[in-house]
Amino acid sequence: MNDNRPNILFIMSDDHAAHAMSCYGSRINRTPQLDRIANDGMRFDNCFCTNSICTPSRAGILTGTYNHVNGVTTLATPMDNRLTTYPKLLREQGYQTAIFGKWHLGIGPQHCPTGFDDWAVLPGQGFYHNPEFIFKGPDGGSRRTIPGYVTDLITDMTMSWMDKRDPEKPFCLMCHHKAPHRPWYPDEKHDAMYLNETIPEPPTLQDDYANRAAAAAEAHMRVGVHMNPLDIKADIPNNMPEAELRSWAYQRYIKDYLRVVASIDDNVGRILDYLDENGLTDNTLIVYTSDQGFFLGDHGWYDKRFMYEESLRMPLIMRYPREIRPGTINKDIVLNIDFAPLFLDLAGVPVPTEIQGSSFRALLQGSPPDDWRRAMYYRYWMHGDQCHNTTAHYGIRTLRHKLIYYYADALDQPGTTARPMTPEWELFDLEKDPCEMNNVINDPAYRQTVIELKTELHRLQDEVGDERYPLDTD
Ligand code: CA
């Protein structure tokens, strides 16, 4: 290939938490194929999403902008497909582009994928077994059901597209898995994993939400009591004490979650082997991430949405032999909106000024700039959503602290319910309290820290052009 620009192979799963990957020190499973990427590349320990929920995070990744800018604030705000995205910019500069798998940014002519030479995506969440796909075509594409297991099928499509591509031109290929989104349906190959094992419980499984903002106790995300029979493939017992129910339901759902993850791991291995066999390993940036994290029984929860660590953190591992030293770990703050500018930077394509994220190419190379961000801004908009009754909030995370403001107002956003609550603040010292069990907002020892963090929060809001909630007047 005369064109020396790198290929970009971007694998993203849905709701795969970093603490279910052995390269992140998982206590509950092994992911040998994903570990190959980390061992031969870089693991990012502080990659965060700017809004921990599917559709908004995906829009942030594609556009490189915050959700108040791209308009995709909740699950009920499909993305306008006329927006500028990194695949469009790469394609304009001669890249071959394609996406296979989960899209979840809306369907139909205004919302289907654009900027791709080829695509096949699941409608909405899609199904694990014998899924229907929408294939690229006029009027938003055409539907066809494909027999098989969804993670295998998306991988098959990814590899057969690589077979068909023009080898003289670089490619940007997105392999976006539905797995491991709930409800969890493993394939036959992994169905018997963990059958006679007890999976270790997280230390905060029996969290009672004392000394936290009311939002924690009010969320309908508790393992067992707020699940439905599809989540655990059994009826929810109505006569079991809640602590016992949490432990029982945890064992049932986490095993299916990990079985579904095992299929992702196998299929990532197939792709890595394909790159090796076709001489593509050296000139391809391979990325594995998830659209956000997930609570694996942490705080007694499943799901995400909160700014707490397990939900906020995205797993991120990257291999690119030309610029990344094998086996390296980065602890700088990287965001989902940084992916677009990084990919453009590596391809030598100018980054438009509208993009709010920053290329972290210098981090790949092991030389973070002195002025790299030391704090990130987060906002969850979907107040009082019907499934999980979560509370709208925004906040700031630094390397040491996290300040959250539950402004608790739907603000007429689509997909929300007006459910008046009193706004509340939370502050966590992540060094002393990594599990975020102890809100120290009223602790006099942190008075000065609170002042500094609020100032920085409001500065970040000004910088990204978001509006402060009217009652946040400090
Ligand atoms: Ca997701």
Side-chain angles (χ1 to χ4, degrees):
M1 186 164 88
N2 291 327
D3 191 329
N4 202 32
R5 293 179 293 176
N7 303 309
I8 296 164
L9 180 39
F10 181 17
I11 308 174
M12 182 160 75
S13 55
D14 191 340
D15 295 3
H16 188 186
H19 51 313
M21 286 167 66
S22 36
C23 52
Y24 278 95
S26 169
R27 298 161 60 241
I28 57 174
N29 69 333
R30 312 304 306 160
T31 50
Q33 303 302 326
L34 290 167
D35 294 359
R36 285 167 67 186
I37 301 177
N39 291 339
D40 294 341
M42 183 172 270
R43 185 187 89 197
F44 293 83
D45 282 1
N46 287 317
C47 178
F48 302 124
C49 60
T50 50
N51 183 357
S52 181
I53 195 162
C54 298
T55 308
S57 180
R58 286 158 198 274
I61 288 169
L62 277 166
T63 61
T65 59
Y66 285 89
N67 296 133
H68 64 275
V69 172
N70 58 48
V72 186
T73 48
T74 71
L75 292 179
T77 50
M79 188 175 85
D80 183 330
N81 62 13
R82 293 167 300 184
L83 289 176
T84 301
T85 61
Y86 75 82
K88 286 182 191 171
L89 296 167
L90 291 173
R91 191 174 184 224
E92 281 168 11
Q93 298 300 320
Y95 266 73
Q96 299 166 89
T97 58
I99 181 169
F100 299 104
K102 178 97 177 243
W103 173 248
H104 205 195
L105 288 157
I107 55 176
Q110 275 81 48
H111 306 297
C112 69
T114 49
F116 299 98
D117 297 315
D118 196 7
W119 55 264
V121 297
L122 300 162
Q125 299 286 5
F127 292 108
Y128 277 104
H129 290 283
N130 306 320
E132 184 180 50
F133 283 86
I134 308 173
F135 291 84
K136 183 177 180 179
D139 301 323
S142 56
R143 294 178 181 233
R144 201 163 77 239
T145 298
I146 310 287
Y149 188 67
V150 71
T151 309
D152 298 335
L153 295 174
I154 292 167
T155 306
D156 292 346
M157 289 175 179
T158 299
M159 295 200 299
S160 62
W161 185 84
M162 282 193 279
D163 278 339
K164 285 184 304 195
R165 80 192 200 283
D166 177 356
E168 296 305 312
K169 284 167 39 179
F171 64 82
C172 171
L173 174 55
M174 297 156 76
C175 170
H176 285 194
H177 289 298
K178 163 197 172 52
H181 196 281
R182 78 186 274 253
W184 304 276
Y185 288 96
D187 62 347
E188 216 174 306
K189 185 178 165 194
H190 302 93
D191 212 23
M193 288 178 85
Y194 310 110
L195 262 189
N196 297 309
E197 294 176 39
T198 301
I199 309 291
E201 293 183 354
T204 59
L205 181 66
Q206 301 297 347
D207 192 353
D208 62 1
Y209 316 114
N211 192 25
R212 228 78 53 71
E218 296 208 355
H220 291 179
M221 291 179 11
R222 277 182 271 160
V223 173
V225 68
H226 293 134
M227 283 179 155
N228 66 52
L230 292 182
D231 292 321
I232 54 168
K233 318 295 185 298
D235 288 334
I236 310 284
N238 54 16
N239 54 355
M240 211 185 262
E242 189 176 340
E244 198 183 322
L245 177 60
R246 271 193 209 178
S247 288
W248 179 81
Y250 169 77
Q251 290 300 326
R252 293 195 68 95
Y253 100 89
I254 203 69
K255 287 180 181 178
D256 273 343
Y257 180 93
L258 297 177
R259 290 165 183 144
V260 165
V261 165
S263 169
I264 297 176
D265 192 59
D266 284 359
N267 276 293
V268 167
R270 290 174 64 207
I271 287 184
L272 294 175
D273 290 346
Y274 181 98
L275 297 179
D276 287 345
E277 286 156 13
N278 289 277
L280 289 166
T281 297
D282 284 343
N283 62 344
T284 300
L285 167 74
I286 185 158
V287 179
Y288 182 82
T289 188
S290 170
D291 56 351
Q292 81 292 301
F294 203 74
F295 294 108
L296 304 177
D298 315 282
H299 297 287
W301 289 331
Y302 65 98
D303 218 74
K304 54 265 180 176
R305 299 162 191 266
F306 275 96
M307 200 187 166
Y308 291 157
E309 290 293 272
E310 297 85 356
S311 154
L312 177 71
R313 174 169 293 107
M314 301 163 73
L316 177 62
I317 47 178
M318 289 188 173
R319 183 185 76 185
Y320 182 39
R322 283 187 194 165
E323 300 195 14
I324 299 177
R325 247 178 349 108
T328 42
I329 294 170
N330 179 281
K331 293 187 180 296
D332 294 302
I333 295 175
V334 171
L335 304 177
N336 57 347
I337 59 170
D338 295 336
F339 290 14
L342 172 70
F343 298 158
L344 295 171
D345 185 2
L346 287 168
V349 175
V351 179
T353 51
E354 306 92 87
I355 284 189
Q356 296 179 297
S358 304
S359 167
F360 52 105
R361 189 174 187 175
L363 275 51
L364 306 190
Q365 297 165 340
S367 50
D370 291 339
D371 61 350
W372 189 255
R373 73 166 73 81
R374 293 177 180 279
M376 61 82 62
Y377 177 59
Y378 179 89
R379 183 162 188 173
Y380 175 78
W381 295 79
M382 204 167 175
H383 184 72
D385 69 287
Q386 290 199 333
C387 293
H388 299 295
N389 198 42
T390 39
T391 302
H393 56 288
Y394 58 64
I396 178 177
R397 190 201 189 282
T398 65
L399 291 167
R400 168 88 190 259
H401 297 102
K402 186 183 294 175
L403 180 74
I404 307 174
Y405 180 59
Y406 295 94
Y407 62 90
D409 190 331
L411 298 172
D412 293 326
Q413 292 292 313
T416 59
T417 313
R419 183 175 55 89
M421 287 170 66
T422 308
E424 282 187 87
W425 290 91
E426 279 182 337
L427 171 67
F428 297 105
D429 182 335
L430 300 170
E431 210 165 85
K432 292 187 179 158
D433 177 27
C435 291
E436 299 168 298
M437 297 290 278
N438 188 27
N439 174 18
V440 291
I441 192 73
N442 294 317
D443 183 335
Y446 289 91
R447 196 171 292 143
Q448 187 57 31
T449 304
V450 170
I451 292 169
E452 287 167 14
L453 287 171
K454 284 186 181 176
T455 303
E456 180 64 5
L457 168 65
H458 298 144
R459 189 192 70 75
L460 280 178
Q461 286 180 314
D462 290 346
E463 187 179 286
V464 305
D466 198 8
E467 275 182 37
R468 207 197 288 197
Y469 190 68
L471 297 180
D472 173 10
T473 53
D474 290 358

